[in-house]
Amino acid sequence: MIKIEVDNKTIEANQGEMILDALERSGITVPTLCHMKDKFPSGACRMCMVELDGANGLIPSCAFPVREGMKLKTHSPRVVRARKTIIELLLADHPDDCLYCVRNGNCELQTLSEEYGVRQRRFSGKKHAYNVDNSSMSIIRDPDKCILCGRCVRVCEETQGVAALDFIGRGCDTVVGTAFNEGLNVSSCVNCGQCIMVCPTGALRENSSLKEVIDALNDPEMTVVVQHAPAVSVTLAEEFNMKAGSDICGLMTAALRNLGFDRVFDTGFSADLTIMEEASELAHRIKTGGVLPMMTSCSPGWIKYVEQYYPDFIDNLSTCKSPQQMMGAVIKSYFAEKQGIDPRKIFSVSVMPCTAKKFEADRAEMSDDGITDVDAVLTTRELARLIRLYGIDINKLEPETADTPFGKRSSAGKLFAATGGVMEAAARTAHYLLTGKELADLKIKPLRGMKGIKEAQLKIGDLEVKIAVVSGLENAKNLLEEIKAGRKEFHFIEVMTCPGGCINGGGQPYNTDMDAVRERMQALYNIDRDAPLRVSHKNSDIQSLYDDYLKEPLSEKSHHLLHTHYHKRDTII
Amino acid sequence: MNNTDLQVILDKYPDAQRDSLIPILQDIQEVQGYLSRENVIEVGKHLKLPASKIYGVATFYNQFTFLPQGEYHVQVCRGTACHVKGSAAVLDAIERELNIKAGQTTKDKLFSLEVVACIGACGLAPVISVNGEFHAGVNGDKVRKILKNYRKNHQEVKITNE
Ligand code: SF4
Ligand code: SF4
Ligand code: FES
């Protein structure tokens, strides 16, 4: 520990850390725009400047290490003036359309200009008029609003190992874009939305489906059903100022009914269904010498990643559709038949923590005879907007439960929302399928927690099953390279595209930090700890679906509805 | 430029790292006159660099272009001496006449336009060069005439050939 003087007070700092980190711990907030926690500082924006006694110019606190006895001023007139000028310069080339912007009310640039008292336009620069890129099903890019902080470029490259974006050109004409400045749809973008999560402005946003959903809700001809993913009920609360990690499944269900959805289903149900199919597929592959390691296929960003970068591994991907698509498929088949509704008169909506789910729902493989499994995907954020638009005070509602026949889920299905959860759920059921007995301890500790790569060996009967769990595609890439080089061997691998899993997905509330993600994860573990039904194979609604309709896992009907195939994809990589 | 040409270039840089990127791009541009999409992607595979990074680097420098050059490649000097003598207006006139921006090629592939820092002919300012042929002391009117002449020549050549 060393001591530094900040604004005439002494605070403690750790040797070698950056000034910004020490300030933050002591409760002193310095504004930042390009800074990203746990990443090497880029020092691009200079918003974090502070005054160092004895230094000539101001120094960037995010990129300047602490020194014993250094004297700093964080809000001297000189510092404040400099920061204000930076904001004014950023605004010189910024469209004046806050009122029409999706980030109105939660934009970092807007907040800073308010905090620094920017009340007039001091500089007027040449304004760019770039085209909005709306080629992608998932992500919209609006370069006019970009302040070139570089956060999206870095998350895409360093966290996701994709690097779909980079700075193009130079000087005033620099713009963030894709290779050859093409649409995101032909780029290597995997639609994860992590770039949206880090963007301080409205330059990146989801491709919204609110209009289609509202139109459907107002169409008397349509039966509008909605499913909600396991990760939504533990994050939506934050959109309504409740604390991170609050589970509001019941309130959300009530809100969805108030919005006018005819049926509310829980994607946790189809997560259980996925487990039945996927655990059976794994058992089958192990028994018959099929392609191993088997890799999970629930995360559509990861699927596209394999299709474009590692086509040799396509046969390793489980043929199971994701829970979203399985739910979509049984809604338009089993549910429609049972209710006597023409599947063409069903509008099927899903609420997802994810932007890549929009892309997934649009894939050609995800429809049957022109009937799409899922018609519109809303992110957690879009659902929150819809609830606000309809004037629903979610705190005043009484919790409700989801509808039959797809309303019941095990807590194993709920665990799908966090990294390691699919594996834990699969292991519980695989153990039962292979040995006829339940696992002695259902909680599988080595699979839990935020670590990016987890490896373990599970004993299932006489089998020693080697497994790995990864989240964040850069981690997935490293693991695949190890496997390719023959240095590692596994039977089963779970991959989630976003770091930490769906609880940190690209459709989640803005300003998510890792502490919030940990709270969300803990909420899931608590739900699992207290749940009466903790294994997918004991879900009675799942059993009836098989008895009534599908017959058994991997049956012909299951294959037709619940499984699919993936293909090598040509994108600009 | 075919695959073997590219391979010859890449073979000059075995075990290349990202610091060989610019020399490789220069070699390609030298042979092909521009950087084609396919070649950028191949270079990316060779250096294990994403296409976006290569595009980002290449667009940082004026010297690289992504469109095949026209039959007549027009270079406009924007160095200090030419600037003082009015090269901005010259560039503007050419852009209007050809209806393209610097770095682009006309639809009929006849002309391409490049801005260069200094051609090294300050005594002739403002100067442009067309396929290496210099035109000194130009202004808007003169460049329009020059370009028309090239177009006319081209048509005459075509007619004789037919
Ligand atoms: S959505 Fe993901 S892959 Fe696509 S540009 Fe953003 S961070 Fe990169
Ligand atoms: S798009 Fe957003 S995150 Fe990316 S550089 Fe621009 S402002 Fe920053
Ligand atoms: S936050 Fe320090 S330079 Fe941008």
Side-chain angles (χ1 to χ4, degrees):
Chain A
M1 276 287 176
I2 60 172
K3 289 193 174 13
I4 64 175
E5 195 187 301
V6 181
D7 303 331
N8 301 322
K9 277 197 281 291
T10 305
I11 69 167
E12 291 196 328
N14 299 321
Q15 192 80 48
E17 73 179 333
M18 298 300 162
I19 296 172
L20 185 71
D21 296 319
L23 295 178
E24 213 176 78
R25 235 179 310 108
S26 307
I28 302 165
T29 307
V30 160
T32 60
L33 279 172
C34 68
H35 178 65
M36 301 178 84
K37 260 213 179 103
D38 306 321
K39 290 209 179 357
F40 202 75
S42 72
C45 75
R46 314 315 262 191
M47 270 310 289
C48 66
M49 288 189 301
V50 295
E51 203 171 336
L52 168 64
D53 200 32
N56 267 337
L58 301 173
I59 56 161
S61 60
C62 73
F64 203 98
V66 292
R67 255 193 338 247
E68 177 72 51
M70 73 193 320
K71 291 195 173 105
L72 300 168
K73 293 227 160 40
T74 64
H75 289 81
S76 66
R78 185 174 166 212
V79 170
V80 170
R81 205 181 321 119
R83 289 191 196 136
K84 187 171 176 184
T85 305
I86 293 175
I87 301 167
E88 289 171 324
L89 286 167
L90 286 173
L91 290 176
D93 178 29
H94 202 80
D96 282 330
D97 64 357
C98 288
L99 278 175
Y100 307 98
C101 184
V102 67
R103 296 297 297 269
N104 185 10
N106 57 31
C107 163
E108 291 178 38
L109 184 62
Q110 193 185 53
T111 307
L112 281 175
S113 40
E114 203 285 317
E115 282 174 4
Y116 278 76
V118 178
R119 291 286 173 269
Q120 61 185 19
R121 180 175 285 286
R122 201 147 67 91
F123 307 109
S124 281
K126 177 178 119 194
K127 291 236 166 123
H128 289 105
Y130 297 113
N131 292 331
V132 171
D133 175 8
N134 52 14
S135 63
S136 156
M137 282 307 295
S138 301
I139 317 281
I140 292 192
R141 293 191 318 114
D142 187 352
D144 282 352
K145 294 188 177 175
C146 172
I147 58 170
L148 302 174
C149 71
R151 274 151 56 169
C152 58
V153 174
R154 298 191 62 194
V155 86
C156 191
E157 181 177 11
E158 295 170 32
T159 307
Q160 298 300 51
V162 171
L165 301 171
D166 199 6
F167 292 101
I168 299 173
R170 173 169 62 170
C172 301
D173 293 322
T174 309
V175 60
V176 166
T178 59
F180 311 107
N181 224 343
E182 292 275 356
L184 267 183
N185 61 335
V186 294
S187 78
S188 55
C189 169
V190 300
N191 307 298
C192 70
Q194 286 300 311
C195 52
I196 300 180
M197 299 304 286
V198 297
C199 183
T201 71
L204 291 163
R205 54 183 185 261
E206 70 276 314
N207 193 346
S208 177
S209 297
L210 276 177
K211 186 176 177 311
E212 291 90 312
V213 172
I214 292 171
D215 286 350
L217 286 170
N218 287 311
D219 183 342
E221 298 256 291
M222 282 290 179
T223 302
V224 189
V225 301
V226 64
Q227 55 167 311
H228 56 82
V232 179
S233 78
V234 295
T235 53
L236 183 69
E238 291 159 56
E239 284 277 352
F240 298 98
N241 299 323
M242 291 175 243
K243 78 175 200 334
S246 318
D247 176 32
I248 55 164
C249 197
L251 296 179
M252 177 175 74
T253 305
L256 289 167
R257 288 224 177 81
N258 280 13
L259 287 168
F261 288 103
D262 297 307
R263 292 287 195 296
V264 182
F265 295 138
D266 189 333
T267 313
F269 168 86
S270 48
D272 282 338
L273 186 58
T274 306
I275 287 301
M276 295 304 291
E277 294 292 325
E278 201 159 0
S280 307
E281 185 186 356
L282 178 65
H284 181 76
R285 285 193 191 211
I286 292 179
K287 276 194 218 136
T288 60
V291 181
L292 292 173
M294 188 171 93
M295 300 173 179
T296 56
S297 56
C298 313
S299 187
W302 154 245
I303 297 292
K304 183 168 185 253
Y305 187 84
V306 175
E307 288 178 319
Q308 60 195 21
Y309 291 106
Y310 291 97
D312 295 348
F313 280 110
I314 287 179
D315 290 339
N316 294 73
L317 293 172
S318 160
T319 59
C320 290
K321 287 184 182 173
S322 71
Q324 161 177 280
Q325 298 304 138
M326 285 200 183
M327 178 68 95
V330 293
I331 286 172
K332 295 222 179 156
S333 55
Y334 177 67
F335 171 77
E337 277 174 37
K338 241 182 121 146
Q339 300 288 319
I341 312 176
D342 176 0
R344 288 172 209 279
K345 293 279 172 228
I346 297 178
F347 192 85
S348 179
V349 179
S350 71
V351 185
M352 293 283 140
C354 179
T355 46
K357 289 281 164 191
K358 292 173 183 270
F359 170 83
E360 180 183 50
D362 190 54
R363 288 181 69 119
E365 301 88 349
M366 301 300 165
S367 63
D368 186 14
D369 201 12
I371 299 177
T372 41
D373 293 348
V374 173
D375 297 297
V377 179
L378 300 180
T379 59
T380 310
R381 293 189 294 268
E382 288 169 272
L383 174 61
R385 270 174 226 145
L386 191 60
I387 292 174
R388 284 192 283 262
L389 172 69
Y390 275 59
I392 296 169
D393 182 351
I394 200 162
N395 289 298
K396 296 236 165 76
L397 300 175
E398 285 298 323
E400 294 177 13
T401 50
D403 287 299
T404 50
F406 309 137
K408 189 168 176 183
R409 57 137 186 87
S410 74
S411 62
K414 192 74 181 170
L415 288 178
F416 265 61
T419 174
V422 176
M423 186 61 84
E424 191 163 339
R428 291 175 186 180
T429 290
H431 190 275
Y432 179 79
L433 291 181
L434 288 166
T435 68
K437 283 197 291 270
E438 297 294 342
L439 267 176
D441 187 1
L442 289 177
K443 172 174 169 185
I444 310 177
K445 245 186 130 192
L447 304 181
R448 296 200 166 186
M450 291 288 296
K451 247 178 84 191
I453 303 189
K454 294 173 268 195
E455 294 174 25
Q457 196 142 323
L458 299 180
K459 208 162 155 47
I460 300 184
D462 320 322
L463 279 177
E464 285 286 345
V465 184
K466 285 196 208 150
I467 55 149
V469 168
V470 285
S471 68
L473 292 178
E474 176 68 21
N475 291 330
K477 177 199 283 178
N478 292 335
L479 192 75
L480 289 181
E481 288 298 329
E482 291 288 296
I483 295 171
K484 245 174 123 172
R487 286 192 290 270
K488 292 241 160 109
E489 258 186 39
F490 300 98
H491 295 97
F492 191 23
I493 301 175
E494 175 208 289
V495 183
M496 294 195 189
T497 303
C498 295
C502 316
I503 43 175
N504 189 27
Q508 296 285 34
Y510 292 123
N511 305 323
T512 288
D513 65 11
M514 271 314 184
D515 292 336
V517 177
R518 274 186 211 97
E519 296 293 332
R520 298 168 186 172
M521 185 176 252
Q522 194 51 52
L524 295 170
Y525 294 156
N526 295 348
I527 291 171
D528 179 53
R529 186 195 57 207
D530 303 334
L533 172 63
R534 296 180 67 191
V535 292
S536 305
H537 50 275
K538 285 216 181 119
N539 182 337
S540 55
D541 283 359
I542 291 282
Q543 288 163 352
S544 333
L545 177 62
Y546 278 112
D547 291 347
D548 272 16
Y549 195 65
L550 297 171
K551 304 304 168 222
E552 59 185 6
L554 310 184
S555 70
E556 211 191 301
K557 194 131 208 157
S558 299
H559 261 291
H560 179 65
L561 288 172
L562 309 179
H563 290 257
T564 185
H565 280 285
Y566 300 106
H567 312 281
K568 183 176 185 319
R569 194 178 276 272
D570 268 323
T571 50
I572 305 173
I573 56 175
Chain B
M1 181 158 156
N2 54 33
N3 287 339
T4 26
D5 290 336
L6 178 67
Q7 210 45 55
V8 170
I9 294 176
L10 294 180
D11 286 346
K12 286 201 319 201
Y13 303 87
D15 313 314
Q17 302 278 321
R18 57 200 302 164
D19 51 3
S20 308
L21 174 61
I22 292 187
I24 292 177
L25 294 182
Q26 281 169 328
D27 288 0
I28 294 175
Q29 176 134 328
E30 178 85 31
V31 176
Q32 195 180 16
Y34 76 108
L35 302 176
S36 70
R37 187 177 282 236
E38 297 69 38
N39 287 345
V40 167
I41 292 171
E42 282 308 312
V43 172
K45 286 191 192 143
H46 187 69
L47 297 178
K48 298 204 169 51
L49 276 178
S52 65
K53 296 278 138 192
I54 301 182
Y55 189 71
V57 168
T59 52
F60 186 87
Y61 298 100
N62 266 336
Q63 57 174 299
F64 296 116
T65 131
F66 295 90
L67 290 172
Q69 283 183 1
E71 195 164 318
Y72 300 107
H73 184 59
V74 183
Q75 292 178 307
V76 180
C77 180
R78 291 283 287 122
T80 316
C82 287
H83 176 73
V84 172
K85 294 272 195 172
S87 63
V90 171
L91 178 61
D92 191 54
I94 299 176
E95 286 184 341
R96 278 162 200 268
E97 176 68 24
L98 299 178
N99 201 12
I100 54 172
K101 293 261 168 233
Q104 297 181 334
T105 303
T106 53
K107 278 222 177 77
D108 59 6
K109 309 233 161 60
L110 202 51
F111 292 101
S112 50
L113 179 58
E114 181 189 358
V115 166
V116 291
C118 180
I119 283 186
C122 303
L124 309 176
V127 60
I128 67 168
S129 126
V130 182
N131 289 356
E133 198 177 331
F134 280 63
H135 300 268
V138 290
N139 56 28
D141 282 342
K142 281 193 189 158
V143 287
R144 271 188 288 274
K145 266 189 215 123
I146 295 169
L147 293 174
K148 283 203 178 94
N149 272 334
Y150 279 107
R151 187 166 278 142
K152 216 169 97 203
N153 284 347
H154 172 79
Q155 270 150 8
E156 276 163 11
V157 173
K158 234 170 103 185
I159 291 164
T160 356
N161 283 349
E162 277 164 12

